[in-house]
């Protein structure tokens, strides 16, 4: 029997519909929406394509979307000043600086200049530390790992006590998803093993995984005999292995393969993500979710003793929902029972 396909395109639409519903209520009842700015320096074609998708998604959801295009001659000093401007703008809740940057700009310095409370990519060292601590400290989980976790949870895969093997140790996927999966909480509480290029007997580690997350960047690395029957296989790899002519457009398009031998693996696994259409659609989706979380957090980031805090809690509670995922990372917040005369 073939594995159940975990379709990122379908789960993406579920999450975007949830976000759009919340944004609509916030705008209708309180006149506020999440604000997202994307800074693009230069004219890198791949960057332009990716940024365009972000813009289209944000606008579709009703966000305030600011696209700040800058020439590739922009100095590092001026870019840092631009980031500082958006750090201080209360209408902006998420700041993205599209990589790569021109060679004369220090990417690390630029990314570290973003306010951690607006770092919706989750790459600032402060947010990496928050992720390591876990629990309520987590503000913005990195988008691709967060998308992976959503795919697992929404597909009904049991994670509590599961053996999870992560193939790959990158800062963008491998390390953060490993950290997320062994934390206590929803979609986690697993026993996690990370394997990499120096791991002895890679196949043996993969074979015992209840959940196998592969992010190695090597086409067809994982063979079907490496997979435990019934396991959940999450293939993060997107490898360009050639070109073909599109039947729809007649133009050349890339042939993409994952890190898992999909055709053979789907006959053994219980759940599996396709490539494309699996993990890929989730990254921008979780970016939007993080930006909405940032809006909520910015309104709750006050002391519990202050009057404004109580007003803020009542303000958002009247929308009808404050999901636990939104409250994570904003500290201790007491939600008092709503009185009959409350707005």
């Amino acid at each position: 029997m073939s594995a159940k396909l975990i379709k990122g395109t379908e789960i993406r639409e579920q999450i975007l519909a949830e976000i759009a519903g919340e944004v609509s209520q916030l705008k209708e009842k309180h006149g506020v929406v999440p604000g997202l700015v994307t800074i693009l320096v230069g004219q890198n074609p791949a960057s332009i394509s990716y940024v365009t998708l972000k813009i289209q998604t944000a606008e579709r959801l009703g966000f305030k979307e600011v696209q700040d295009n800058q020439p590739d001659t922009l100095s590092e000093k001026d870019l840092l000043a631009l980031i500082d401007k958006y750090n201080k703008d209360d209408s902006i809740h998420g700041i993205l600086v599209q990589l790569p940057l021109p060679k004369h700009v220090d990417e690390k310095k630029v990314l570290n200049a973003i306010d951690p409370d607006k770092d919706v990519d989750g790459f600032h060292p402060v947010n990496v530390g928050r992720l390591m601590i876990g629990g309520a400290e987590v503000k913005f989980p990195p988008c691709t790992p967060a998308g992976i976790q959503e795919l697992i949870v929404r597909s009904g895969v049991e994670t509590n006590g599961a053996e999870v093997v992560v193939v790959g140790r990158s800062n963008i996927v491998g390390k953060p998803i490993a950290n997320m999966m062994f934390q206590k909480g929803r979609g986690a509480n697993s026993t996690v093993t990370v394997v990499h290029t120096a791991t002895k007997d890679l196949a043996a580690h993969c074979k015992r995984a209840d959940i196998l997350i592969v992010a190695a960047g090597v086409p067809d690395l994982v063979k079907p005999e490496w997979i435990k029957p019934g396991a959940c296989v999450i293939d993060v790899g997107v490898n360009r292995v050639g070109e073909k002519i599109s039947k729809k457009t007649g133009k050349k398009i890339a042939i993409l393969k994952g890190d898992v031998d999909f055709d053979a693996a789907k006959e053994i696994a219980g759940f599996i993500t396709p490539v494309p259409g699996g993990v890929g659609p989730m990254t921008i989706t979780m970016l939007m979710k993080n930006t909405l979380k940032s809006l909520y957090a910015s309104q709750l980031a006050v002391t519990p003793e202050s009057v404004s805090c109580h007003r803020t809690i009542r303000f958002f509670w009247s929308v009808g929902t404050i999901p636990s995922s939104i409250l994570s990372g904003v500290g201790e917040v007491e939600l008092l029972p709503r009185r009959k005369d409350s707005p």
Side-chain angles (χ1 to χ4, degrees), residues 11-258:
I11 294 175
R12 171 191 64 190
E13 292 307 310
Q14 294 171 13
I15 296 172
L16 291 180
E18 293 165 6
I19 295 172
E22 288 195 57
V23 172
S24 177
Q25 290 186 67
L26 286 169
K27 183 177 181 179
E28 179 183 349
K29 296 185 178 181
H30 307 290
V32 296
V33 297
L36 177 66
V37 61
T38 305
I39 300 172
L40 177 63
V41 182
Q43 295 292 317
N44 181 291
S47 294
I48 292 172
S49 177
Y50 190 52
V51 165
T52 300
L53 287 175
K54 294 177 182 177
I55 295 169
Q56 291 173 344
T57 306
E59 291 179 342
R60 168 186 167 187
L61 296 175
F63 283 25
K64 171 185 177 180
E65 210 293 323
V66 177
Q67 177 54 38
D68 197 326
N69 295 327
Q70 296 291 332
D72 57 12
T73 55
L74 184 72
S75 69
E76 180 181 285
K77 179 181 178 181
D78 288 343
L79 179 54
L80 292 174
L82 188 62
I83 292 170
D84 185 59
K85 181 185 81 169
Y86 289 119
N87 281 341
K88 296 174 180 176
D89 186 340
D90 291 339
S91 72
I92 296 297
H93 307 100
I95 300 173
L96 297 172
V97 178
Q98 185 64 39
L99 303 180
L101 291 170
K103 292 182 178 180
H104 67 275
V105 177
D106 185 334
E107 288 186 357
K108 183 177 180 180
K109 185 183 293 186
V110 167
L111 295 179
N112 289 353
I114 298 172
D115 182 346
D117 291 340
K118 296 187 178 186
D119 167 43
V120 288
D121 262 335
F123 292 148
H124 192 285
V126 169
N127 285 322
V128 173
R130 287 167 169 167
L131 187 71
M132 177 64 71
I133 295 171
E137 291 297 325
V138 180
K139 201 171 188 79
F140 307 121
C143 299
T144 299
I148 292 169
Q149 195 170 45
E150 285 284 353
L151 291 175
I152 293 170
V153 170
R154 290 178 184 246
S155 297
V157 176
E158 180 59 68
T159 63
N160 188 43
E163 290 279 349
V164 174
V165 174
V166 179
V167 182
R169 53 183 170 181
S170 72
N171 292 332
I172 296 174
V173 180
K175 290 177 185 176
I177 190 58
N179 190 282
M180 292 165 67
M181 293 304 294
F182 72 60
Q183 301 284 355
K184 289 183 179 179
R186 169 181 173 268
N189 209 29
S190 306
T191 300
V192 181
T193 301
V194 178
V195 298
H196 45 75
T197 52
T199 298
K200 297 178 181 179
D201 202 351
L202 182 63
H205 286 286
C206 294
K207 184 72 175 179
R208 61 183 176 79
D210 300 310
I211 301 172
L212 181 60
I213 301 171
V214 191
V218 180
D220 291 343
L221 171 67
V222 174
K223 312 304 179 188
E225 59 269 23
W226 295 14
I227 298 171
K228 180 179 180 179
C232 172
V233 179
I234 305 293
D235 191 349
V236 188
V238 181
N239 306 288
R240 184 167 180 161
V241 296
E243 292 182 337
K244 63 181 180 181
I245 302 298
S246 170
K247 293 180 180 180
K248 291 184 178 180
T249 65
K251 296 180 180 179
K252 287 184 178 181
I253 58 174
I255 299 173
L256 303 177
K257 295 201 76 171

